[in-house]
Amino acid sequence: MPGFDSPAAAAVVLDKGGLDGLIAGLGAGGFRVIGPTVSGDAVVYDDITSVKDLPAGWGDEQQGGRYRLVKRQDGALFGYTAGAQGWKRHLYPPRQTLFTARRKDKGYEVLPPPPAPPPMAFIGVRACELAAMAVHDRVFGDKTAPEPGYQRRRAAAFVVAVECGQAGGTCFCASMGTGPEVTAGFDIKLVELPARGVFVATAGSSAGADMLARLKVAAATEADKAEAARRVAGARPAKIMDTAQARGLQAKAEHSRWDEVAKRCLTCGNCTMVCPTCFCSSVEDSTDLKGETSERTRTWDSCFSIDFSYIHGGAVRTQARSRYRQWITHKLSAWHDQFGGSGCVGCGRCITWCPVGIDITEEVAAIAASDQGR
Amino acid sequence: MVQPENLGRILDEHPFFAGIPGDLRALLIGCAANERFDIGQFLAREGLPSDKFYLIRAGQVAIEVDVPGKKPIILETAAEGEVIGWSWIVPPYRASFDARAQTLVRALSFDGACLRKKMEADHSLGYEVMRRFVPMMGHRLQTARMQMLDLYGPAVVKARKGKAG
Amino acid sequence: MNAHARNPAPADPMMPHPFRIERVRRELSDTFTMEMVPQSGGGFRFRPGQFNMLYVFGVGEIPISISGDPGDGAVLVHTTRAVGAVSQALDNLKAGDIVGVRGPFGSYWPVEQAFGHDLVFVAGGVGLAPLRPAIYQAMANRERFGKVVVLYGARTPADILFRKELEKWRGRFDMNVMVTVDRVAGKWNSDVGVVTNLVAKGGFDPLHATAFVCGPEVMMRYVALALEKRGVALSSVWLSMERNMKCGCGLCGHCQWGSDFVCKDGPVFRYDQIADRLSVREL
């Protein structure tokens, strides 16, 4: 990851009080601290001020079209797998004002933008989510047209990663090469040892090291490190996506499976909303009643909507098969050509949050299994 | 009267029968005549017997249909190097459209009845003629379908506020 | 924080620059040309085939190709067909009004790559507008080419874009211009028939020709076939594609097509690199 220097990372151990100190310290340092918290029967990433806001003792149960919070016996703070939505909503919010303008003479003048919001600190970022951020760094980091809002938020963000202690029912990070181990892209990495109520922490940047240095920590023993390694070893998901098959989707544009999946797909776009790498957006204009002031707003959009492909006269992709195909072939296949890697990080959210439980890994396998087509 | 050797030279100048074997070329020339049409003259009239086809040597011909109460609609134009007329192959040998000279037109015409008789007697001549007419008819069909697409769309009708460009 | 916090903030590619309309010319009943200059002074550089996002205050923004002379950096020229809310709002603007401009975006007609070749422009309808800058560039470098051929198809004689200019070009000794219309009633002595017919007739050497094609997608597909039939190498045929665009710079995802963003990898593509995609429905 560019930007993250690698100081000699000596692992330390901190307890829940230490973690609380980290959250408070980040808050005091001017960060808006965002972490997992229970809201609406799901783990969501929202503002937190102390460890009390974290989902203590909550785990989750995920499968195609199903998400349930379940109580854990060990009181783990990070005992869930992936939250319902990723960090995208903070790094690239669903609604962003591009500018506000006021009518002036025969034209308009752009009003000065509001002051930039404070930098954010993210607590509990998973390996797949770090991979998703790295994907967006490329998507929004085009040499000629980098997206300045994303760049600013991303560059200023302080990242506290937490390695997974178990796999969720829909995860497949290992086959995508994105997890479960946290290897790069963090300021501080935590491994929770729930039985002891402590965390093994490693700095991934000088900012992270500075932060850890201010906390009450103990040096990690070899036994602590071994226990941390065992935790992540137990988090390898069973579900697998064949990446070579996935990359080959583009050559299967006329496969009959597209018709099959279209019979189930509701084209609701849930998968694109929860996907941590989907980045499509639209722009809308809203004007006050007098027509004096107008605001341009960028909103998340989805390739599953008909209007998405509208050119004068009609939409290019009218059928569900075309829109599902567009989504999955772009993410798994074309993304390699456009951004030098897959657009899928294996978080499994699109499977969990699909109302009819369409499983992206099953679709890839089915399409790869035959050449049946039109 | 144009001599057969001159008709042969005229035939060779036109791409339509290029490469036809010499013996068959001689049979063709036997049914050919050199013609000219002044502006406004018709090479064919819709619904009337059409027992000829033309290799256009110079000028431009409009293939058109007459619409009562309106100006005739030009469907396609054909010019030097092109061929007009295929109704002579298809019974009852009546023209489907008007063909009108838009300019002075010089053309080599072929008598359909004459050629049909020779094609029936010599199928290799029939084959050489048909293999040239089928692509021509296919081309006409394809371009007609493309015209039906109305590719560039109708002009957008919108309420203008009496504003000139 | 990490190192890229120290980089200066890049300019926002979504922020339009105000341009003042200097002149509006009606081309057809639904098509108009605007000349504009930056409100802050200076000029505008672009390459033929590129486009801008044009913003009308309070209404919205649309991609419109540039139709002016790339050799004239003082004025920005756009020719627009009013078919939607934003283009109709543009149509209602007058000299002195302000339009927001972002761009130029996208790939361009590779005029220099065609040096030494016959250069064939095939345009349909308002597709002549995005080609016009390349025609200007070619004529400014006329000695670099063999024949320069413009083949243009319109719906009816009343729909012929840049008619005076086409007539002027036709009068030149170093340019071959052919115009056909799909339908006509009444007096018309030029060609009637689809533009592909002109490809078959146009006087150029197919073995040493580069073709730039712009028009509705269906028209371009058939023109490419006609060029292939004529013997032009598919790697010498270039098309300009159109897809929904919200940003123009690869950020919004709307124009994603195969492995390309039409806005930034296109709109001008080499035919042999996109031919497979053109035959897939709803791609």
Side-chain angles (χ1 to χ4, degrees):
Chain A
M1 275 263 342
F4 286 91
D5 39 28
S6 312
V12 296
V13 172
L14 72 160
D15 59 12
K16 286 179 185 170
L19 180 60
D20 209 33
L22 174 61
I23 294 169
L26 288 165
F31 287 98
R32 178 187 163 203
V33 184
I34 298 166
T37 186
V38 171
S39 170
D41 295 324
V43 170
V44 299
Y45 304 151
D46 211 340
D47 291 86
I48 59 169
T49 53
S50 81
V51 286
K52 289 198 197 73
D53 295 325
L54 298 174
W58 285 109
D60 56 32
E61 207 179 271
Q62 301 193 31
Q63 49 184 275
R66 183 182 159 87
Y67 178 96
R68 293 288 182 280
L69 288 183
V70 289
K71 261 292 173 197
R72 291 174 65 107
Q73 299 310 310
D74 60 6
L77 299 181
F78 299 96
Y80 59 93
T81 49
Q85 297 202 40
W87 303 93
K88 175 171 84 171
R89 60 186 303 102
H90 298 293
L91 285 168
Y92 198 68
R95 289 186 71 82
Q96 302 163 38
T97 299
L98 293 172
F99 62 85
T100 305
R102 190 166 48 205
R103 191 179 295 283
K104 188 188 175 199
D105 304 327
K106 290 183 159 187
Y108 62 91
E109 63 174 345
V110 173
L111 303 180
M120 293 176 284
F122 300 142
I123 311 291
V125 182
R126 305 297 188 171
C128 61
E129 295 171 336
L130 289 170
M133 290 179 192
V135 167
H136 271 183
D137 289 346
R138 290 193 288 272
V139 169
F140 296 126
D142 180 277
K143 289 192 297 294
T144 51
E147 207 294 290
Y150 175 85
Q151 300 288 335
R152 191 185 61 242
R153 290 183 287 271
R154 175 77 165 113
F158 189 97
V159 176
V160 179
V162 172
E163 216 159 50
C164 287
Q166 73 276 312
T170 56
C171 304
F172 52 99
C173 62
S175 58
M176 300 312 293
T178 57
E181 299 83 2
V182 168
T183 54
F186 55 88
D187 292 291
I188 294 174
K189 171 174 108 174
L190 300 177
V191 181
E192 186 172 22
L193 305 177
R196 292 162 53 197
V198 298
F199 303 86
V200 176
T202 318
S205 69
S206 51
D210 290 349
M211 211 64 207
L212 283 180
R214 282 185 242 157
L215 302 174
K216 194 166 152 278
V217 297
T221 63
E222 289 308 313
D224 293 332
K225 289 186 221 168
E227 194 181 348
R230 274 199 303 280
R231 289 279 298 163
V232 73
R236 293 189 83 76
K239 189 181 275 298
I240 279 176
M241 164 99 80
D242 184 317
T243 51
Q245 289 178 351
R247 197 170 176 176
L249 280 184
Q250 227 177 352
K252 303 248 188 174
E254 304 289 11
H255 200 281
S256 56
R257 181 77 180 193
W258 302 122
D259 295 305
E260 296 305 310
V261 71
K263 288 177 194 158
R264 302 170 61 204
C265 178
L266 309 176
T267 66
C268 68
N270 263 14
C271 48
T272 58
M273 296 294 112
V274 296
C275 176
T277 67
C278 271
F279 62 89
C280 288
S281 61
S282 188
V283 179
E284 42 188 63
D285 295 76
S286 52
T287 306
D288 65 6
L289 285 175
K290 285 159 67 189
E292 291 301 308
T293 308
S294 185
E295 186 176 76
R296 298 215 84 207
T297 311
R298 173 159 55 206
T299 58
W300 284 1
D301 203 352
S302 170
C303 54
F304 281 92
S305 84
I306 291 247
D307 280 352
F308 188 85
S309 62
Y310 185 89
I311 45 177
H312 49 82
V316 173
R317 299 183 200 105
T318 60
Q319 304 173 58
R321 93 191 274 279
S322 320
R323 283 176 271 151
Y324 186 84
R325 180 182 68 190
Q326 165 65 17
W327 178 63
I328 186 174
T329 52
H330 182 214
K331 190 163 298 289
L332 300 178
S333 216
W335 210 291
H336 284 272
D337 301 328
Q338 290 184 295
F339 301 114
S342 175
C344 176
V345 297
C347 71
R349 285 185 179 89
C350 59
I351 307 172
T352 299
W353 295 97
C354 175
V356 296
I358 295 171
D359 184 330
I360 190 171
T361 65
E362 280 174 19
E363 296 310 311
V364 167
I367 290 163
S370 81
D371 282 320
Q372 270 185 308
R374 291 185 167 181
Chain B
M1 184 66 198
V2 181
Q3 296 307 307
E5 58 268 30
N6 291 339
L7 287 175
R9 185 175 49 74
I10 291 167
L11 183 73
D12 295 342
E13 282 166 5
H14 197 281
F16 191 67
F17 283 115
I20 200 157
D23 53 334
L24 304 181
R25 175 177 170 276
L27 293 173
L28 283 171
I29 291 167
C31 297
N34 200 17
E35 299 197 43
R36 64 165 274 168
F37 298 89
D38 288 322
I39 295 178
Q41 271 193 299
F42 286 87
L43 287 74
R45 298 303 292 256
E46 177 200 322
L48 295 187
S50 158
D51 220 11
K52 275 185 189 176
F53 70 93
Y54 303 91
L55 307 191
I56 301 175
R57 302 172 54 209
Q60 181 165 298
V61 178
I63 299 167
E64 60 186 24
V65 61
D66 183 46
V67 184
K70 289 186 179 164
K71 288 174 177 160
I73 296 169
I74 303 176
L75 302 164
E76 191 167 14
T77 53
E80 180 184 335
E82 296 184 89
V83 185
I84 290 279
W86 49 262
S87 299
W88 68 275
I89 313 179
V90 185
Y93 315 122
R94 287 183 190 281
S96 309
F97 297 101
D98 291 343
R100 178 178 56 86
Q102 287 180 297
T103 62
L104 172 70
V105 170
R106 295 184 188 281
L108 192 62
S109 74
F110 291 82
D111 182 316
C114 164
L115 201 52
R116 283 200 304 272
K117 202 190 289 172
K118 290 185 182 179
M119 286 162 68
E120 194 59 49
D122 183 345
H123 283 188
S124 62
L125 176 66
Y127 174 71
E128 287 295 336
V129 172
M130 293 305 272
R131 69 183 277 201
R132 285 167 173 78
F133 267 89
V134 170
M136 181 272 260
M137 293 164 76
H139 174 76
R140 287 274 149 78
L141 179 62
Q142 191 200 18
T143 56
R145 284 176 171 169
M146 279 176 69
Q147 278 171 310
M148 272 172 58
L149 291 174
D150 199 9
L151 286 172
Y152 313 117
V156 178
V157 181
K158 71 187 207 68
R160 300 197 54 78
K161 295 181 233 155
K163 184 175 73 165
Chain C
M1 269 18 62
N2 57 64
H4 51 250
R6 287 189 291 271
N7 296 339
D12 189 344
M14 295 299 284
M15 185 61 77
H17 301 282
F19 275 57
R20 189 180 60 249
I21 298 172
E22 295 288 282
R23 190 172 302 133
V24 182
R25 186 173 52 248
R26 177 131 316 271
E27 304 283 1
L28 307 172
S29 65
D30 57 0
T31 306
F32 57 98
T33 296
M34 296 187 311
E35 295 178 17
M36 41 186 125
V37 296
Q39 201 174 24
S40 57
F44 189 89
R45 309 296 302 179
F46 72 100
R47 307 197 67 161
Q50 290 191 301
F51 67 96
N52 282 319
M53 298 296 294
L54 299 187
Y55 166 69
V56 182
F57 173 79
V59 182
E61 200 181 47
I62 44 168
I64 301 286
S65 61
I66 304 165
S67 63
D69 185 348
D72 178 0
V75 60
L76 171 63
V77 183
H78 281 285
T79 301
T80 309
R81 187 176 186 202
V83 290
V86 182
S87 52
Q88 295 197 14
L90 274 173
D91 198 358
N92 289 329
L93 298 180
K94 301 177 293 294
D97 289 343
I98 300 297
V99 175
V101 176
R102 296 192 294 118
F105 295 120
S107 62
Y108 48 87
W109 302 111
V111 175
E112 282 113 352
Q113 242 172 278
F115 282 170
H117 268 195
D118 286 358
L119 189 50
V120 183
F121 298 93
V122 190
V126 287
L128 184 57
L131 279 174
R132 191 169 68 165
I135 298 173
Y136 288 141
Q137 193 188 346
M139 295 316 285
N141 296 277
R142 183 62 191 88
E143 71 286 357
R144 302 278 210 152
F145 300 98
K147 293 196 168 100
V148 172
V149 180
V150 177
L151 309 176
Y152 179 54
R155 188 169 188 259
T156 73
D159 297 310
I160 294 171
L161 187 64
F162 305 145
R163 184 166 185 159
K164 286 220 169 70
E165 210 160 10
L166 283 164
E167 284 167 359
K168 199 175 81 192
W169 288 339
R170 179 139 71 174
R172 293 179 64 139
F173 295 117
D174 56 356
M175 215 171 167
N176 180 0
V177 177
M178 295 175 81
V179 176
T180 188
V181 295
D182 270 359
R183 63 198 65 195
V184 65
K187 198 167 168 51
W188 170 255
N189 277 336
S190 190
D191 286 40
V192 179
V194 287
V195 71
T196 49
N197 289 355
L198 299 185
V199 173
K201 289 186 207 173
F204 57 88
D205 174 6
L207 297 181
H208 301 95
T210 296
F212 298 158
V213 186
C214 191
E217 188 173 316
V218 179
M219 167 263 180
M220 292 193 292
R221 295 201 312 246
Y222 285 115
V223 167
L225 290 178
L227 286 163
E228 183 183 23
K229 200 168 164 188
R230 183 75 201 271
V232 178
L234 297 183
S235 56
S236 296
V237 176
W238 301 75
L239 315 182
S240 181
M241 293 297 297
E242 185 176 13
R243 283 295 181 269
N244 186 309
M245 293 176 191
K246 298 290 185 194
C247 73
C249 49
L251 293 174
C252 80
H254 277 256
C255 67
Q256 201 273 332
W257 184 53
S259 287
D260 293 306
F261 289 119
V262 173
C263 68
K264 118 183 160 171
D265 305 305
V268 176
F269 290 100
R270 214 175 81 183
Y271 177 73
D272 59 335
Q273 295 173 344
I274 60 168
D276 288 355
R277 275 179 258 174
L278 288 172
S279 61
V280 178
R281 290 186 183 185
E282 298 206 353
L283 191 65

